Amino acid sequence: MELRSNEPDKSIPIEQRWTKHKMAGKLVAPANRRKYEIIVVGSGLAGGAAAASLGELGYKVKCFCFQDSPRRAHSIAAQGGINAAKNYQNDGDSVYRLFYDTVKGGDFRAREANVYRLAELSVNIIDQCVAAGVPFAREYGGLLANRSFGGAQVSRTFYARGQTGQQLLLGAYQALERQVAAGTVEMITRSEMLDLVVVDGKARGIITRNLKTGEIEPHVADVVVLCTGGYGNVFFLSTNAMGSNCTAAWRAHRKGALFANPCYTQIHPTCIPRAGEYQGKLTLMSESLRNDGRVWVPRKKEDCGKPPEQIAEKDRYYYLEEKYPAFGNLVPRDVASRNAMYVCDEGLGVGPVVDGERRAVYLDFADAIKRLGEPIIRERYGNLFDMYERITGESPYKTPMRIYPATHYTMGGIWVDYNLMTTIPGLFAGGEANFSDHGANRLGASALMQGLADGYFVLPYTVGNYIGTEASKRIGQRTFPEIGTDHPEVQKTLKDVKERIKRLMSAPEPKYGPDYFHRELGKIIWTKCGMSRTKEGLEEALRQIPKLRAEFDKHLKITGTGEELNQTLEKAGRVEDFFELGQLMCIDALTREESCGGHFRAEHEEDGEAARDDDNFAFVSAWGYTGDTAKPELNKEPLTFDYVKPSKRSYK
Amino acid sequence: MSTFNITLHVWRQKSPTAQGKFEDYKVEADEHMSFLEMLDVVNEDLIEKGKEPIAFDHDCREGICGMCGMVINGEAHGPQKLTTTCQLHMRQFKNGPFDIWIEPFRAAGFPLVKDLVVDRSGFDRIIQAGGYISIRTGAPLDANATPIPKAVSDMAMDAAECIGCGACVAACPNASASLFTAAKITHLGLLPQGQAERPERARNMVTAMDNEGFGSCTNHGECESACPKGISVDFIARMNRDFVKASATAYDRAAKSDGD
Amino acid sequence: MQRALTLYQSTIGKKVAMALSGLVIIGFSIGHMLGNLNAYAGEVAFNEYAEGLANLPFIVWPTRFLLLACFGIHIASAFTLVTRNKDARPQAYHVTKHHEATFASKAMPISGIALFLFVGFHLLHFTLAPQLFNAAHFENPFWNFYAGLSHPVLALVYIAGNLALGLHIYHGFFSAFQSIGANHPKYNPLRRDAAVGLATILTVANLMFPISVQLGYIEAPAGYEAAMADAAAPVNDAPAGDH
């Protein structure tokens, strides 16, 4: 398949591309907009903002979420902040610099034009959110406060205490509810998209399951927008919400949407480690902790079970400070994460034994407390320390924290063009669900920015452009042929969904609930396709996954019925899709014979550092579904860099 | 690792109309488990035994999405202050009580769906009535065009921290939604951007709150005590003030538009 | 007026109505208590005060109407809200545990009903139908005061009624400020202190009247005992047909 990114011509200077693109786009007259129905799946930053903005424009919007309210989408859990090139601090920031940092941070695996647009829109996002009542932190003069985040050399991060994601999401949620009241948006909660309806090659609707009644419901529309988040839960343990899943995206993939760069996953170094096998979720703590904490493990294996206070200074291995004298504890996320894994692989991990091993390192504040005093540390990290103590029962003021990396963001996702349209006409993807702007690695405080840019500022234009373009092809006729829920394709998809549920509920030898299989799948993906990947490991994973899948098909056990609220059934469907996505992740990781960003192949390193291969791998891997999940079809979208020249990362 | 035995008495109710009852489960709890992880273990066991697991709402498990919530031994979100159910850990029960009664949030405004799952869409409808600032997506003023004193902005943030979990309703002896409604009215009413709609917002949100069948505030203060974000009942006084002021002075849009 | 009625339709409007009417009643209760302190100054002072009040018809009657209206609004609102609040939780919890709610705040409906009965009794006792309770009725207010409170059972009723009043005001006074939105971070702690202070002063002062009479700190007026003896005889001797 030929991939057309539909980005503005490269002869246009990058700073004019979005403006010119909008100018060239087709419009839909205000009076005509209500004739078009748009389905938005997901109500996080991207989905909520898109549904609200499209509704405000006058389209007839239906928005779906699986939670009981659109206010609960997992965007809400983002702590740190949101980047914007406002240069309020007069420290040399600019749209161009944010663009530059993002392309470089993404390890030269993102589309330049998209990234520039993101940086450009970042400025509007802050204006929009402040006007909508988001209570960002302020200085005593009443102006907005900023901080430097994730090693950025400028202070461009806006924040609202440790709850920036919450406040931004509530802003979008309120805008959305305003449209619900105005009658332009119909909000359908406790509803999960289980398939996409494609009619004559175009996305024309979705099939959902009403999670309260179990009813399978068809919804038809003219455009479908997926803002369904990332797939980090493929690892079972991640910082994602328990309900976060890939089903909507994966079902769209099976219907023809290409899936790009699934192996680009981001691992966050400072999460609270597992306390036991029963654990189903990890909690992230702000990276800012590494500013004052020192990371170490015991030098000797026999010390690993001892209380940290009993380990003498000379027996402590400050591995980041030793290996990376220049950056020390502040090395980038992936480096910090990988090194934690290495020391634990060597058997130097600390904390309780879970699944037969200790997987944690210390993050010690004793020196910082000695140097700065407890009050200053309390002021800086009090909330985080309290959260840590609530979860672990240990006080970081008295004993070192234990941390371990965990997945928290996925850069890969549904392939989209510059208009955020997938390879299925009429199907759009925004936010974490698409692959677009972060390349192989995402900068801190950029996820919120991308979600809102897509939702507030990109999709409202590009969806309109699609409708306007289609309308101009059929002047005097209906833009989209009328289809009802009785259309054969809708009915066929509906039947497929019902049969799938029936199949899930009637495994031949039911034995275990879906969590059991999810946990096992997560172990495979985490160890073989996690922080460090090898050819052998990935091949091994590709042998193990189908085996486990066969077990799943045979032994899955779901109690209750499909005609009621049944959380086991919900999980089972999601886990089944994770199986297929996990397989694709491993295939993608295996074919990408280089290390870049969140994808680290142990075979491809130089002096212990990730070795990118721009000559052979400067492309997007966009995978097509062939019907055989073991043999997906690879399409390549070449990436060129006209503004930011690829350079090598080094932190020694 | 230390474990201890507990007996759960969990409210089981198959559907909104079915008769509910408490069922007992014996569990070996690990002190490091979260409360919901403990229920996960119970559920996995129930599934393997061919029984239906306990339905309960949960999502982020970080205490921010507001999806989880149950009444544990008579307390919404359980015994730990400023903590959602998902962040409550079993070490809180290490020294007893070893009998734990788990009930859904009970209120006419929160109709029961199944077991411990309730329908909190009434909160969304309260927000729909006016819990927003009417601003179009597009070209607002520059974010720094209107300075906001830090103290005001901080207080707005205190109110904006509400996670919409409904513990205030669950804990209130009158099942009143005043704290939830007041938090949003205060958050938006404090900001300069929220002034234009302030009177109408107060009137419409309070009316919506009343229409949902929640009780009235009689100033017990239980809501603040149960709130995982510690939202203050002072905001309820603010709401009352805004509402009375609005009722006395608000520009009557309906009357005006009739005349146009 | 339209706006006031619209306001009253809401739960907050009803709470405001309760708060304002409650504050008026509290104001009256304070005046009532202060006036009664004349009892310690003796028969002459007490009767002069009583007659003084009775000679101000342009104040007494409007005040009575205002009070009646306040009681009416207070009780009607309370009834509507209590019913609503009961309906707001159709199924009670099996276990409840409260942290902030006080005995007083939870007992508001009960203490309210008790006060309603008590005020009714008090009006009957001293104004509307004293003969139902007292052996004799006099034209002398102080004698009536003494007669009413010297009866041990009736004194107990007054003690109980005033305890209910104290309990009701302890939560009601604090709550009223919150309901009308009188709230300021600087003065908020004072609201509770003021409620405690007011409830204590009013209750203690009011309780002291029956107690003082019972313990003899307020002595029987001159001639009272004799009159009582006289009054008792004909009642006992009266033929049944007279009733």
Side-chain angles (χ1 to χ4, degrees):
Chain A
M1 185 190 283
E2 191 208 352
L3 287 173
R4 297 180 53 178
S5 69
N6 292 321
E7 60 192 308
D9 195 88
K10 300 233 175 194
S11 64
I12 303 170
I14 199 159
E15 57 273 20
Q16 294 173 18
R17 285 184 195 166
W18 175 234
T19 311
K20 295 220 160 148
H21 186 75
K22 277 196 291 183
M23 197 52 218
K26 291 272 195 282
L27 298 174
V28 181
N32 287 336
R33 289 181 201 146
R34 81 178 87 91
K35 297 179 193 156
Y36 296 103
E37 289 187 45
I38 299 170
I39 283 174
V40 178
V41 187
S43 65
L45 287 184
S53 303
L54 288 164
E56 189 179 79
L57 283 169
Y59 296 105
K60 217 171 144 189
V61 179
K62 268 187 190 176
C63 183
F64 295 81
C65 71
F66 71 79
Q67 297 94 340
D68 70 332
S69 163
R71 67 178 294 150
R72 315 221 189 270
H74 199 55
S75 309
I76 207 163
Q79 299 167 357
I82 176 165
N83 288 331
K86 278 285 195 185
N87 195 30
Y88 282 158
Q89 304 302 322
N90 189 33
D91 56 0
D93 198 12
S94 63
V95 168
Y96 196 90
R97 188 175 292 276
L98 177 54
F99 155 67
Y100 177 92
D101 287 354
T102 307
V103 172
K104 193 166 172 243
D107 223 359
F108 304 93
R109 291 293 174 265
R111 211 184 274 149
E112 270 191 335
N114 280 56
V115 178
Y116 193 90
R117 175 176 67 188
L118 177 65
E120 186 181 337
L121 294 173
S122 69
V123 181
N124 305 52
I125 294 170
I126 301 303
D127 296 342
Q128 180 71 30
C129 293
V130 167
V134 171
F136 284 121
R138 287 178 184 264
E139 296 165 355
Y140 282 99
L143 301 181
L144 291 160
N146 293 115
R147 60 183 171 204
S148 159
F149 197 82
Q153 287 173 303
V154 290
S155 289
R156 63 159 75 101
T157 304
F158 294 78
Y159 60 99
R161 295 200 183 138
Q163 290 125 282
T164 318
Q166 179 200 25
Q167 293 309 314
L168 295 174
L169 180 69
L170 293 183
Y173 158 72
Q174 287 163 203
L176 178 62
E177 294 295 353
R178 175 171 160 249
Q179 293 307 317
V180 172
T184 60
V185 177
E186 186 189 350
M187 186 69 221
I188 300 162
T189 60
R190 289 200 196 272
S191 176
E192 182 165 24
M193 167 176 161
L194 291 181
D195 213 341
L196 179 75
V197 177
V198 180
V199 179
D200 299 330
K202 290 196 176 96
R204 292 302 305 273
I206 61 172
I207 308 293
T208 60
R209 179 167 182 271
N210 179 328
L211 301 183
K212 264 158 92 170
T213 62
E215 206 164 322
I216 308 299
E217 297 164 349
H219 300 270
V220 294
D222 301 312
V223 175
V224 177
V225 182
L226 300 185
C227 298
T228 51
Y231 50 88
N233 268 347
V234 67
F235 292 97
F236 182 65
L237 285 166
S238 83
T239 67
N240 281 7
M242 300 296 279
S244 301
N245 68 82
C246 73
T247 289
W250 192 254
R251 293 284 134 185
H253 170 64
R254 288 176 63 118
K255 281 286 163 82
L258 299 191
F259 206 99
N261 301 332
C263 77
Y264 293 163
T265 53
Q266 190 172 70
I267 314 279
H268 198 286
T270 50
C271 299
I272 301 176
R274 286 171 83 192
E277 280 87 357
Y278 47 77
Q279 198 161 330
K281 143 94 196 176
L282 296 170
T283 302
L284 179 142
M285 285 183 304
S286 170
E287 235 180 334
S288 62
L289 289 167
R290 287 199 283 142
N291 290 335
D292 285 305
R294 297 180 72 192
V295 177
W296 64 275
V297 288
R299 282 192 192 278
K300 293 180 276 187
K301 281 183 193 171
E302 54 273 26
D303 285 346
C304 288
K306 283 189 193 165
E309 295 75 20
Q310 291 177 16
I311 301 171
E313 190 62 27
K314 65 173 175 48
D315 293 327
R316 298 177 177 192
Y317 178 24
Y318 296 91
Y319 57 91
L320 289 178
E321 295 172 20
E322 287 184 25
K323 284 193 199 170
Y324 305 92
F327 280 76
N329 296 300
L330 290 171
V331 291
R333 289 178 177 179
D334 56 331
V335 179
S337 299
R338 230 164 17 241
N339 281 284
M341 180 188 72
Y342 292 150
V343 291
C344 293
D345 284 350
E346 286 169 40
L348 298 175
V350 296
V353 177
V354 180
D355 271 345
E357 54 183 355
R358 298 180 201 274
R359 288 235 160 238
V361 300
Y362 288 126
L363 181 63
D364 198 338
F365 289 86
D367 284 355
I369 291 172
K370 212 181 286 167
R371 189 175 73 243
L372 302 165
E374 198 176 303
I376 291 184
I377 294 295
R378 192 178 293 277
E379 197 187 319
R380 285 187 193 166
Y381 309 112
N383 285 348
L384 292 165
F385 280 24
D386 290 348
M387 178 175 83
Y388 181 85
E389 186 168 359
R390 200 155 49 225
I391 292 172
T392 63
E394 292 173 4
S395 165
Y397 297 105
K398 298 191 188 105
T399 184
M401 271 186 182
R402 285 172 292 110
I403 56 166
Y404 199 67
T407 311
H408 94 129
Y409 190 87
T410 54
M411 282 73 68
I414 305 173
W415 186 91
V416 288
D417 65 6
Y418 188 70
N419 292 317
L420 305 185
M421 190 157 86
T422 68
T423 44
I424 301 175
L427 179 69
F428 290 76
E432 194 181 347
N434 74 28
F435 88 109
S436 71
D437 300 351
H438 304 297
N441 205 5
R442 183 179 62 73
L443 290 182
S446 280
L448 301 178
M449 176 171 73
Q450 188 225 336
L452 287 178
D454 288 358
Y456 277 132
F457 299 111
V458 182
L459 287 165
Y461 285 108
T462 58
V463 168
N465 174 46
Y466 166 73
I467 295 173
T469 308
E470 291 298 313
S472 67
K473 288 182 195 162
R474 286 178 210 79
I475 292 167
Q477 308 165 42
R478 273 187 71 96
T479 310
F480 302 99
E482 188 168 6
I483 58 167
T485 50
D486 55 351
H487 188 280
E489 195 55 42
V490 179
Q491 286 300 319
K492 184 185 170 293
T493 315
L494 190 76
K495 196 169 141 251
D496 290 348
V497 167
K498 284 185 176 166
E499 274 172 8
R500 177 173 176 228
I501 290 175
K502 215 161 106 190
R503 173 172 56 76
L504 286 170
M505 298 212 51
S506 50
E509 294 168 36
K511 216 161 159 186
Y512 305 111
D515 275 345
Y516 167 83
F517 300 100
H518 194 185
R519 200 177 288 125
E520 294 301 313
L521 174 69
K523 268 183 216 164
I524 299 174
I525 309 275
W526 180 238
T527 51
K528 308 291 195 308
C529 197
M531 284 179 273
S532 175
R533 298 141 182 197
T534 62
K535 184 167 183 288
E536 294 71 41
L538 291 164
E539 283 169 350
E540 171 71 16
L542 286 170
R543 281 191 296 275
Q544 289 173 334
I545 294 170
K547 261 194 224 159
L548 186 63
R549 172 65 191 268
E551 294 276 298
F552 174 84
D553 291 339
K554 196 168 162 195
H555 294 305
L556 174 67
K557 186 166 185 177
I558 301 172
T559 51
T561 68
E563 288 78 44
E564 61 181 327
L565 188 143
N566 189 332
Q567 293 169 323
T568 319
L569 174 62
E570 292 167 27
K571 266 187 225 164
R574 295 169 191 168
V575 172
E576 187 179 49
D577 292 331
F578 279 133
F579 267 106
E580 300 184 358
L581 175 81
Q583 197 175 8
L584 185 65
M585 257 177 86
C586 294
I587 294 171
D588 188 40
L590 190 62
T591 52
R592 188 162 283 277
E593 290 277 1
E594 63 160 352
S595 294
C596 63
H599 169 64
F600 183 84
R601 281 286 297 270
E603 301 94 333
H604 300 286
E605 59 167 5
E606 272 174 36
D607 313 328
E609 291 304 319
R612 211 175 59 228
D613 181 354
D614 291 330
D615 295 337
N616 296 307
F617 288 95
F619 62 79
V620 175
S621 303
W623 297 92
Y625 181 73
T626 57
D628 179 357
T629 54
K631 294 193 178 65
E633 174 206 23
L634 176 63
N635 303 274
K636 295 177 183 176
E637 181 200 341
L639 294 169
T640 53
F641 295 89
D642 303 322
Y643 289 84
V644 189
K645 290 292 163 208
S647 60
K648 200 178 145 190
R649 296 195 314 164
S650 178
Y651 299 96
K652 286 276 180 190
Chain B
M1 194 179 293
S2 98
T3 60
F4 51 96
N5 293 313
I6 50 174
T7 306
L8 302 179
H9 310 275
V10 185
W11 184 262
R12 301 301 307 264
Q13 185 171 337
K14 191 138 171 76
S15 73
T17 48
Q19 182 72 36
K21 64 173 189 330
F22 286 100
E23 273 180 31
D24 297 353
Y25 305 96
K26 298 232 180 286
V27 192
E28 190 187 358
D30 182 314
E31 62 167 315
H32 295 304
M33 279 176 167
S34 75
F35 198 82
L36 297 186
E37 281 163 0
M38 181 272 294
L39 288 181
D40 288 342
V41 171
V42 173
N43 275 347
E44 257 192 280
D45 188 52
L46 284 174
I47 293 170
E48 280 172 32
K49 285 181 183 145
K51 291 182 187 151
E52 265 199 76
I54 304 159
F56 61 92
D57 266 334
H58 64 102
D59 199 26
C60 78
R61 299 223 179 171
E62 294 181 22
I64 192 78
C65 77
M67 186 108 171
C68 67
M70 45 191 83
V71 171
I72 301 165
N73 284 339
E75 293 171 288
H77 288 309
Q80 199 176 3
K81 281 260 175 195
L82 299 174
T83 304
T84 54
T85 306
C86 65
Q87 294 273 285
L88 176 69
H89 278 67
M90 292 311 292
R91 66 182 74 88
Q92 300 294 328
F93 298 89
K94 201 161 60 168
N95 303 313
F98 300 111
D99 268 283
I100 301 177
W101 293 83
I102 307 177
E103 299 176 73
F105 283 179
R106 293 199 187 281
F110 288 167
L112 191 135
V113 176
K114 185 176 182 178
D115 296 345
L116 305 172
V117 176
V118 296
D119 177 358
R120 286 167 291 192
S121 54
F123 273 12
D124 290 335
R125 289 186 289 276
I126 294 175
I127 297 295
Q128 282 159 25
Y132 45 75
I133 290 171
S134 296
I135 166 79
R136 272 177 197 288
T137 304
L141 293 176
D142 183 84
N144 257 351
T146 315
I148 305 175
K150 184 168 164 37
V152 172
S153 168
D154 283 350
M155 192 171 166
M157 181 65 199
D158 288 343
E161 285 197 31
C162 168
I163 59 172
C165 63
C168 46
V169 173
C172 175
N174 310 330
S176 166
S178 292
L179 192 65
F180 169 80
T181 312
K184 192 46 68 191
I185 288 177
T186 301
H187 159 211
L188 299 175
L190 276 167
L191 298 171
Q193 290 85 356
Q195 295 310 309
E197 294 167 289
R198 187 171 167 186
E200 272 196 61
R201 178 183 305 120
R203 279 206 306 182
N204 295 341
M205 288 182 72
V206 168
T207 307
M209 167 181 91
D210 284 352
N211 290 343
E212 290 296 330
F214 294 109
S216 76
C217 174
T218 55
N219 306 314
H220 289 293
E222 284 302 320
C223 51
E224 178 180 325
S225 164
C227 177
K229 296 291 156 188
I231 291 174
S232 163
V233 291
D234 291 354
F235 298 148
I236 296 180
R238 276 191 74 94
M239 167 174 77
N240 295 348
R241 193 158 70 221
D242 271 13
F243 179 74
V244 171
K245 237 197 251 173
S247 303
T249 63
Y251 175 75
D252 201 326
R253 194 164 62 172
K256 178 72 183 167
S257 62
D258 284 349
D260 281 347
Chain C
M1 193 61 204
Q2 183 59 43
R3 281 177 175 159
L5 282 177
T6 315
L7 171 66
Y8 186 73
Q9 278 172 356
S10 68
T11 52
I12 293 178
K14 289 192 184 67
K15 286 298 291 181
V16 170
M18 285 184 73
L20 296 177
S21 56
L23 288 174
V24 170
I25 297 167
I26 288 176
F28 168 78
S29 309
I30 295 170
H32 183 275
M33 178 273 284
L34 290 175
N36 284 351
L37 286 179
N38 283 302
Y40 293 104
E43 181 179 354
V44 178
F46 190 88
N47 285 347
E48 273 175 8
Y49 159 72
E51 275 161 37
L53 274 186
N55 289 332
L56 293 171
F58 293 107
I59 293 184
V60 171
W61 280 102
T63 308
R64 283 181 175 163
F65 276 120
L66 176 69
L67 280 175
L68 197 65
C70 284
F71 270 106
I73 290 170
H74 200 81
I75 292 166
S77 310
F79 182 77
T80 318
L81 290 177
V82 168
T83 316
R84 182 190 175 93
N85 294 346
K86 285 236 170 307
D87 292 346
R89 177 159 295 131
Q91 181 155 14
Y93 288 114
H94 181 76
V95 187
T96 47
K97 188 168 175 190
H98 291 143
H99 292 273
E100 297 298 322
T102 55
F103 176 71
S105 75
K106 283 185 276 189
M108 285 305 267
I110 307 290
S111 58
I113 291 169
L115 277 178
F116 177 72
L117 296 175
F118 173 62
V119 170
F121 156 77
H122 181 51
L123 285 175
L124 287 174
H125 181 199
F126 277 121
T127 314
L128 301 175
Q131 66 277 11
L132 290 179
F133 304 95
N134 287 357
H137 187 60
F138 310 98
E139 289 308 310
N140 182 325
F142 188 73
W143 281 39
N144 280 333
F145 169 84
Y146 189 84
L149 298 185
S150 57
H151 191 297
V153 176
L154 296 184
L156 272 180
V157 175
Y158 277 96
I159 289 172
N162 277 297
L163 286 173
L165 179 69
L167 199 64
H168 206 71
I169 289 178
Y170 168 76
H171 181 70
F173 189 67
F174 155 79
S175 180
F177 287 105
Q178 183 78 4
S179 294
I180 59 173
N183 176 294
H184 188 284
K186 204 165 143 193
Y187 304 113
N188 282 349
L190 291 179
R191 296 183 306 187
R192 187 55 91 182
D193 296 346
V196 174
L198 181 69
T200 312
I201 291 170
L202 202 56
T203 314
V204 170
N206 277 344
L207 288 179
M208 283 319 288
F209 296 118
I211 293 172
S212 297
V213 170
Q214 290 293 323
L215 297 182
Y217 292 124
I218 295 175
E219 291 176 6
Y224 174 81
E225 304 287 350
M228 283 300 283
D230 285 352
V235 173
N236 289 341
D237 294 347
D242 274 10
H243 286 276

